[in-house]
Amino acid sequence: MNKIADEDQQDYVQVMSDIESRSINRLRTQFIIELNKCFRVSKRDIAECLICENKDLLAVALQYLMGAELMIERITSSRINKYTTIDKITAQRSRIEFEEQFYSELHVAVIGIDIKNSDCFEDNLPDHNRFITFEETTP
């Protein structure tokens, strides 16, 4: 990663910091979009609470997103030389695969969130968008 760091980044530590920052911002945005497929949640602080409350469920999705962001960093790097181990075509393919896996893992994670037992809502649970219900069924 030192080889793809640009002048502002200096080394792999800053490259990873940039990747992490972009990944967290994208995760937040995509989480809200995915969550709103199931529930009507308009407050960002509630979405962030849900992310923190369900970080174990979201960990794999975030790892794939960070992989995609690393590939974007590689694709856009102007410091390409013989020491760079991933060529641009491989990086582009990997980015697509990582992003597809990210969206799949994010979807599974959001479905796995237990809204009924969440501490993120004061008194009222969010309205659902008819994809899932809160009513218990009896056999």
Side-chain angles (χ1 to χ4, degrees):
M1 281 195 281
N2 277 338
K3 302 298 180 193
I4 63 172
D6 63 24
E7 294 169 1
D8 293 334
Q9 292 168 324
Q10 305 282 322
D11 61 15
Y12 75 92
V13 174
Q14 188 58 49
V15 171
M16 281 309 298
S17 177
D18 291 350
I19 288 169
E20 182 180 87
S21 178
R22 287 194 316 266
S23 296
I24 290 170
N25 288 334
R26 277 187 69 193
L27 174 70
R28 184 183 305 117
T29 301
Q30 293 303 317
F31 176 82
I32 292 168
I33 291 167
E34 190 67 30
L35 183 67
N36 278 304
K37 290 178 182 177
C38 301
F39 303 100
R40 291 185 199 114
V41 177
S42 58
K43 294 183 179 178
R44 182 177 169 151
D45 59 334
I46 290 175
E48 289 187 8
C49 176
L50 286 168
I51 290 170
C52 291
E53 193 175 76
N54 294 282
K55 61 185 172 192
D56 292 339
L57 281 174
L58 294 163
V60 174
L62 180 59
Q63 289 168 349
Y64 278 110
L65 185 55
M66 288 181 73
E69 286 294 329
L70 176 59
M71 293 302 103
I72 291 170
E73 193 74 32
R74 166 58 187 91
I75 292 164
T76 60
S77 174
S78 60
R79 295 188 63 195
I80 299 169
N81 56 43
K82 67 181 181 179
Y83 300 107
T84 305
T85 59
I86 300 174
D87 62 64
K88 255 187 180 174
I89 293 171
T90 302
Q92 290 168 337
R93 288 182 187 142
S94 295
R95 181 196 59 79
I96 291 167
E97 290 173 15
F98 288 149
E99 284 191 356
E100 287 173 354
Q101 199 62 38
F102 160 69
Y103 287 113
S104 175
E105 292 291 335
L106 179 63
H107 176 74
V108 169
V110 169
I111 288 173
I113 293 174
D114 185 1
I115 295 290
K116 275 176 75 171
N117 294 311
S118 173
D119 293 331
C120 297
F121 303 97
E122 292 177 11
D123 291 324
N124 299 335
L125 292 174
D127 293 333
H128 60 84
N129 286 334
R130 306 244 183 254
F131 292 118
I132 55 178
T133 64
F134 295 116
E135 293 84 29
E136 307 233 352
T137 58
T138 54

